[in-house]
């Protein structure tokens, strides 16, 4: 599905320790990625962040904790707290910092996220409105090297609708983050208002 094996062979060097750190929110995108990776022979370390923005967040953790016991993957849980400011930017920075720390802890350079084609479009549109350079306008990349870390996005060219169809046919459990429906943040406004028009 989604030629995941080809992606892994292209970007991951053969290692005795085949560990990959995966950021999983409990939403449909990251749960599809998790279940796809569970079909491979890689050792998975799942990292789940609680942004403490909604009471239902604990349900995401409980779902992943239950799955970790059932499927046998490692689960790392982190509570995040924020100052008053740009929440999305600060959340991104803190998640990235923790992911690198956990990758170091498990002695792997590989960090995987579930960004998909809709995320790519939203990122390009946001950068166009703010002004950027040519690399910035190109948006997210499926593979990005930062010092000795390798950030992987194997679903980057997959549409959200395809992920939803796959989750439905494979009966993959997931939870809906209601904050994604709010228009307080620029990314959500792009997602709800601009992208459908385009």
């Amino acid at each position: 599905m989604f030629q995941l094996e080809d992606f892994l062979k292209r970007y991951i060097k053969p290692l005795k320790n085949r560990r990959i750190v995966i950021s999983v929110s409990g939403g449909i995108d990251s749960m599809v990625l998790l279940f796809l990776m569970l079909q491979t022979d890689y050792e998975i370390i799942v990292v789940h962040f609680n942004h403490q923005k909604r009471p239902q967040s604990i349900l995401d953790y409980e779902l992943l904790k239950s799955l970790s016991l059932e499927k046998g993957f490692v689960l790392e849980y982190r509570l995040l707290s924020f100052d008053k400011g740009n929440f999305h930017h600060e959340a991104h920075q803190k998640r990235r910092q923790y992911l690198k720390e956990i990758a170091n802890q498990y002695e792997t350079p590989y960090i995987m996220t579930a960004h998909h084609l809709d995320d790519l479009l939203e990122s390009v549109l946001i950068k166009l409105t703010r002004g950027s350079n040519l690399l910035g306008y190109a948006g997210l990349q499926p593979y990005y090297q930062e010092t000795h870390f390798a950030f992987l996005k194997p679903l980057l060219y997959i549409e959200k609708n395809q992920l939803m169809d796959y989750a439905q046919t494979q009966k993959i459990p997931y939870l809906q983050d209601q904050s994604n429906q709010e228009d307080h943040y620029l990314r959500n406004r792009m997602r709800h208002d601009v992208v459908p028009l385009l």
Side-chain angles (χ1 to χ4, degrees):
M1 178 60 178
F2 304 141
Q3 295 159 340
L4 180 62
E5 287 290 348
D6 291 341
F7 179 93
L8 296 174
K9 288 176 183 176
R10 179 176 181 183
Y11 291 113
I12 295 184
K13 298 174 184 177
L15 293 173
K16 288 183 179 179
N17 180 355
R18 293 163 62 84
R19 292 175 178 165
I20 301 179
V21 171
I22 305 179
S23 181
V24 180
S25 67
I28 190 168
D29 312 329
S30 60
M31 292 300 285
V32 166
L33 177 60
L34 171 59
F35 273 73
L36 286 169
M37 286 302 299
L38 286 172
Q39 297 173 37
T40 71
D41 62 353
Y42 288 89
E43 182 182 348
I44 296 168
I45 296 93
V46 169
V47 184
H48 176 66
F49 298 104
N50 185 339
H51 297 79
Q52 303 189 78
K53 289 290 186 180
R54 53 192 176 90
Q56 298 85 358
S57 294
I58 193 64
L59 299 178
D60 298 313
Y61 170 66
E62 289 174 353
L63 171 62
L64 288 169
K65 184 177 180 181
S66 173
L67 282 172
S68 72
L69 295 173
E70 176 188 343
K71 305 289 187 182
F73 57 80
V74 175
L75 176 61
E76 293 282 348
Y77 180 60
R78 296 292 185 274
L79 287 171
L80 302 183
S81 57
F82 303 94
D83 302 321
K84 292 182 179 178
N86 186 332
F87 166 72
H88 272 165
H89 177 72
E90 190 176 353
H92 172 76
Q93 294 299 320
K94 288 191 173 185
R95 289 194 302 266
R96 197 175 186 88
Q97 175 187 338
Y98 276 123
L99 288 169
K100 290 192 286 187
E101 289 176 3
I102 292 167
N104 272 333
Q105 177 185 337
Y106 287 93
E107 300 179 335
T108 178
Y110 299 113
I111 298 171
M112 189 174 283
T113 60
H115 293 90
H116 50 79
L117 192 60
D118 296 47
D119 294 322
L120 176 58
L121 174 57
E122 292 161 11
S123 295
V124 170
L125 290 173
I126 288 171
K127 289 180 179 182
L128 282 170
T129 62
R130 291 176 172 168
S132 184
N133 56 32
L134 288 176
L135 181 60
Y137 292 144
L140 305 169
Q141 303 296 318
Y143 176 91
Y144 173 72
Q145 187 82 31
E146 181 182 306
T147 60
H148 68 281
F149 297 105
F151 289 87
L152 307 167
K153 299 175 178 63
L155 305 182
L156 191 59
Y157 300 130
I158 307 298
E159 293 181 18
K160 175 86 170 190
N161 287 338
Q162 291 177 274
L163 299 177
M164 294 172 67
D165 290 343
Y166 185 77
Q168 184 176 3
T169 58
Q170 299 299 314
K171 297 181 171 54
I172 295 174
Y174 66 91
L175 295 170
Q176 187 74 36
D177 183 349
Q178 294 303 318
S179 66
N180 287 334
Q181 306 306 314
E182 300 172 357
D183 282 343
H184 300 308
Y185 306 112
L186 176 59
R187 181 171 292 276
N188 286 1
R189 293 196 295 273
M190 285 287 185
R191 179 175 300 156
H192 300 150
D193 301 327
V194 178
V195 172
L197 286 174
L198 292 176

